């Protein structure tokens, strides 16, 4: 056979040309153990051992032949781990819930919406002028709104309130030895102001109970402090109960004795205008003194303590 003839049994390369036929058995090198010993059987055995350790499997005959022909290591086996589940970015909020919880959430939102709508309607009817609905259902509207949701529009009036009004009370107290002692004036409005100051959520009682009671009295009494009709007498009883209850709680003399009668007065001071306005208003307090009110036996016995 000529040296330039091709062997039909020889393996062909990537470009289709025939290469040299690999030897069936490795031949021993001329200089074993020399510096160029990479092609010795020992180096081949070492390479095969490292491949065996990395893959954990014994190489087959075909893999060995492929390695000898290409000179590349076998590819690593594919991983059997499943890819992590990627959440659907479109399912967020209520859409991410199950249908059962979606129905519960929708029902809760509907109930809240209906409640808010009814509340706004009741407040509107309480503030709107008299109409057919408010006349027929006036008691239901008042029962819903008063006293927790009562609205006061004085802040938005054309002439807002420009006075500070303080309600004060004093009492005649019968002591244990039979003597009667008159207490000093107790500023009930100052007590409410101290309880409200610095309180992020003051109670409705601290804000409006005393103020509304005083407005009730002034609206149902004449200029000389005479009650007008049954509402006038009711307003006196209401304010008197508040005064007696607070005296029993805060006044030391009242706590050791029995209150016989009380007297209420108001102290009104004008709010001073800003310096740039040039307006002049009196700065002296004005007092309105109500007559002495006799305390009933139930109130005097501490029934409202």
């Amino acid at each position: 056979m000529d040296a330039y003839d091709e062997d039909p049994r020889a393996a062909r390369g990537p470009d289709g040309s025939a290469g040299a036929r690999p030897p069936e058995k490795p031949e021993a090198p001329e200089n074993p153990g020399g510096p160029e010993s990479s092609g010795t059987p020992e180096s081949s055995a070492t390479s095969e051992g490292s491949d065996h350790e990395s893959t954990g499997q014994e190489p087959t005959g075909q893999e060995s032949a492929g390695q000898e022909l290409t000179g590349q290591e076998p590819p690593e086996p594919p991983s059997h781990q499943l890819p992590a589940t990627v959440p659907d970015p479109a399912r967020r909020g209520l859409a991410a819930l199950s249908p059962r919880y979606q129905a519960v959430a929708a029902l809760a939102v509907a109930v809240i919406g209906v409640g808010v709508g009814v509340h706004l309607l009741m407040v509107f009817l309480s503030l709107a002028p008299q109409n057919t609905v408010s006349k027929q259902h006036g008691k239901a509207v008042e029962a819903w709104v008063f006293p927790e949701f009562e609205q006061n529009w004085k802040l938005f009036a054309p002439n807002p309130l420009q006075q500070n009004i303080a309600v004060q009370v004093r009492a005649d107290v019968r002591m244990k030895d039979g003597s009667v002692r008159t207490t000093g004036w107790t500023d009930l409005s100052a007590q409410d102001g101290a309880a409200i100051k610095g309180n992020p959520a003051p109670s409705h009682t601290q804000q409006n109970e005393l103020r509304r009671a005083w407005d009730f009295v002034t609206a149902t009494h004449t200029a000389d402090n005479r009650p007008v009709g049954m509402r006038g007498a009711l307003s006196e009883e209401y304010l008197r109960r508040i005064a007696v209850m607070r005296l029993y709680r805060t006044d030391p003399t009242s706590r050791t004795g029995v209150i016989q009668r009380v007297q209420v007065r108001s102290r009104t001071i004008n709010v001073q205008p800003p310096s740039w306005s040039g307006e002049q208003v009196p700065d002296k307090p004005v007092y309105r003194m109500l007559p002495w009110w006799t305390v009933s036996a139930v109130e005097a016995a501490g029934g409202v303590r």
Side-chain angles (χ1 to χ4, degrees):
M1 180 181 292
D2 190 46
Y4 295 96
D5 294 339
E6 295 182 356
D7 187 357
R9 294 178 299 173
R12 295 182 178 275
D15 55 352
S17 61
R21 181 181 179 183
E24 297 179 358
K25 296 183 180 181
E27 297 179 356
E30 295 179 358
N31 297 324
E36 297 179 356
S37 60
S38 60
T40 61
E42 295 178 359
S43 63
S44 300
T46 305
S47 176
E48 292 176 1
S50 62
D51 294 340
H52 173 67
E53 292 176 359
S54 62
T55 60
Q57 297 179 359
E58 295 182 358
T60 62
Q62 296 179 356
E63 294 176 351
S64 300
Q67 294 176 15
E68 292 176 358
L69 292 176
T70 62
Q72 298 180 357
E73 297 181 356
E76 296 182 358
S79 176
H80 297 285
Q81 296 180 357
L82 297 177
T85 303
V86 180
D88 188 2
R91 294 178 61 85
R92 295 180 179 178
L94 294 178
L97 300 176
S98 63
R100 178 180 179 182
Y101 287 102
Q102 287 182 4
V104 174
L107 180 61
V109 172
V111 171
I112 294 175
V114 172
V116 172
V118 171
H119 175 72
L120 294 177
L121 177 62
M122 291 296 187
V123 174
F124 172 77
L125 292 176
S126 67
L127 299 174
Q130 288 290 334
N131 52 71
T132 304
V133 177
S134 60
K135 290 179 180 179
Q136 293 181 355
H137 306 283
K139 293 183 178 180
V141 173
E142 292 181 359
W144 181 280
V145 174
F146 295 100
E148 288 82 4
F149 305 114
E150 180 184 4
Q151 302 295 317
N152 188 338
W153 299 102
K154 290 184 178 180
L155 179 63
F156 305 99
N159 186 18
L161 186 64
Q162 300 179 0
Q163 296 176 331
N164 289 326
I165 302 175
V167 179
Q168 302 173 347
V169 62
R170 63 178 179 177
D172 284 345
V173 182
R174 179 169 56 83
M175 309 305 294
K176 294 182 179 180
D177 57 0
S179 62
V180 177
R181 184 181 303 177
T182 302
T183 66
W185 290 100
T186 300
D187 196 333
L188 304 180
S189 298
Q191 295 177 358
D192 288 347
I196 294 172
K197 186 177 181 180
N199 187 354
S203 68
H204 181 75
T205 300
Q206 295 168 346
Q207 297 179 78
N208 298 319
E209 181 185 57
L210 182 63
R211 180 182 61 84
R212 296 291 296 167
W214 179 254
D215 291 343
F216 191 19
V217 169
T218 56
T220 56
H221 283 67
T222 60
D224 56 353
N225 299 322
R226 292 183 179 181
V228 178
M230 296 182 60
R231 291 179 59 84
L234 181 63
S235 66
E236 290 184 0
E237 181 181 357
Y238 182 49
L239 182 59
R240 184 174 65 250
R241 283 178 173 269
I242 295 175
V244 172
M245 178 180 60
R246 297 199 181 187
L247 285 175
Y248 275 135
R249 291 179 179 177
T250 60
D251 183 62
T253 304
S254 302
R255 297 182 67 178
T256 57
V258 179
I259 298 176
Q260 301 294 299
R261 59 178 188 166
V262 295
Q263 186 178 28
V264 181
R265 73 177 184 182
S266 66
R267 181 176 183 267
T268 304
I269 301 179
N270 294 320
V271 177
Q272 294 300 312
S275 57
W276 50 263
S277 67
E279 183 181 0
Q280 299 293 331
V281 296
D283 57 355
K284 294 183 178 180
V286 177
Y287 293 92
R288 179 175 179 176
M289 193 81 65
L290 300 182
W292 285 93
W293 293 335
T294 302
V295 178
S296 64
V298 175
E299 297 170 350
V304 294
R305 293 192 187 191

